[in-house]
Amino acid sequence: MAVPSAEGLFNKVISESGTLNLVHTRESAQALTTWYLETLGNPNLSELREMPAEAFIDFDDYDGSIAFSPMIDGLIIPEDPYLSIQNGSAEGIPLLTGTTKDEVYFWLDFYPLLAEETPGDVIQTITPYHPYVQNQDYSEKILQNFTSYAVLLPNETTPEEASMSMATDVMFWIPQIRLAELQSYHAPTFIYYFTWEGPYSASPHAIEIPLIFQTFTSNQSLGLIGEDIPIKLADEIQDAWVAFARTG
């Protein structure tokens, strides 16, 4: 939607699993590359070319972080994608986008201590090296607003749950709203908020995906939705996605 060279290659967009806030600047991409090469043992160019593909994706330090994402390079992605969308880079392209209620709960499988961290620490853990966590004032601003945010949640919400909730809003929900608002000036735009809870007793990142595609037999799907599959809900979601794909 914000890549000029992709114009004409699609006529509708269903956007899931994060949004435009996850792009890198050149500086944050360089910091990530340095860390990545250190993790691989600081190979030189010749050694990199000789390494098998598995070495680049199968190493312990990656865990579940979402550090890897596109970079604003000035060529393929010429500017902040939000600015491109605001200026009509996806004029006439209908958009369906959204998020789940408890996105960051997904990462508890990778980082169990997330439930004990402050919202800023949660975001730093999941999205290392991204520009908005490199800002020295970022965590302080999050903490400054945490108390006023937490009082808006149900009384039974624990501090840990409030922290996870705020991290979900900062990383996923608010950026999705921002994208939808900007694109709504240029094309029909729809936003969803998925709240069904599976075995997590929460609605984590990606829980809606097996329901959309009705892939109920894989271990990954069962881990997200459990064995008590909500078939009626799955049919309704799939029908909505198919209708959008057909008509926008």
Side-chain angles (χ1 to χ4, degrees):
M1 295 178 70
V3 175
S5 58
E7 184 176 354
L9 297 180
F10 55 90
N11 59 14
K12 303 177 191 71
V13 169
I14 298 177
S15 170
E16 301 186 42
S17 295
T19 186
L20 306 181
N21 60 309
L22 297 178
V23 297
H24 280 290
T25 63
R26 185 174 297 275
E27 292 74 22
S28 66
Q30 288 173 340
L32 173 61
T33 300
T34 297
W35 165 76
Y36 187 62
L37 290 174
E38 289 174 351
T39 302
L40 293 174
N42 284 317
N44 60 36
L45 184 58
S46 297
E47 291 168 335
L48 276 173
R49 288 171 172 166
E50 295 297 322
M51 294 176 71
E54 291 76 15
F56 294 94
I57 58 175
D58 185 21
F59 62 99
D60 292 339
D61 287 342
Y62 174 66
D63 291 329
S65 86
I66 50 177
F68 299 100
S69 56
M71 179 187 78
I72 303 171
D73 63 346
L75 180 62
I76 297 175
I77 302 177
E79 61 185 357
D80 183 336
Y82 280 113
L83 181 59
S84 295
I85 297 298
Q86 179 178 330
N87 291 334
S89 62
E91 181 74 37
I93 303 294
L95 170 68
L96 171 60
T97 189
T99 188
T100 66
K101 177 172 65 71
D102 307 299
E103 288 276 357
V104 300
Y105 277 69
F106 175 87
W107 281 272
L108 284 172
D109 281 349
F110 302 98
Y111 311 110
L113 293 179
L114 280 182
E116 303 174 15
E117 294 184 344
T118 66
D121 290 335
V122 171
I123 296 166
Q124 172 70 72
T125 299
I126 298 175
T127 59
Y129 302 100
H130 274 284
Y132 58 81
V133 299
Q134 295 301 304
N135 187 323
Q136 293 182 352
D137 296 331
Y138 184 81
S139 293
E140 286 79 0
K141 290 179 179 178
I142 291 290
L143 286 174
Q144 287 170 8
N145 290 282
F146 180 56
T147 301
S148 57
Y149 176 91
V151 300
L152 300 175
L153 299 173
N155 291 335
E156 65 272 17
T157 304
T158 67
E160 293 79 14
E161 290 170 339
S163 178
M164 299 282 280
S165 177
M166 187 173 189
T168 290
D169 283 354
V170 171
M171 290 177 60
F172 290 93
W173 182 227
I174 301 304
Q176 292 284 18
I177 291 174
R178 185 182 175 199
L179 169 62
E181 287 178 338
L182 294 174
Q183 183 60 8
S184 68
Y185 290 99
H186 304 286
T189 301
F190 307 88
I191 191 166
Y192 70 88
Y193 186 63
F194 193 80
T195 61
W196 181 79
E197 297 182 354
Y200 280 83
S201 295
S203 185
H205 179 74
I207 193 173
E208 80 276 30
I209 302 299
L211 302 181
I212 294 168
F213 293 99
Q214 303 203 3
T215 51
F216 302 138
T217 57
S218 72
N219 290 334
Q220 188 175 33
S221 294
L222 291 173
L224 284 168
I225 64 175
E227 297 183 357
D228 187 13
I229 298 167
I231 295 296
K232 184 175 184 297
L233 176 61
D235 286 343
E236 290 174 349
I237 295 173
Q238 189 177 77
D239 287 347
W241 262 238
V242 171
F244 176 82
R246 284 174 173 165
T247 67

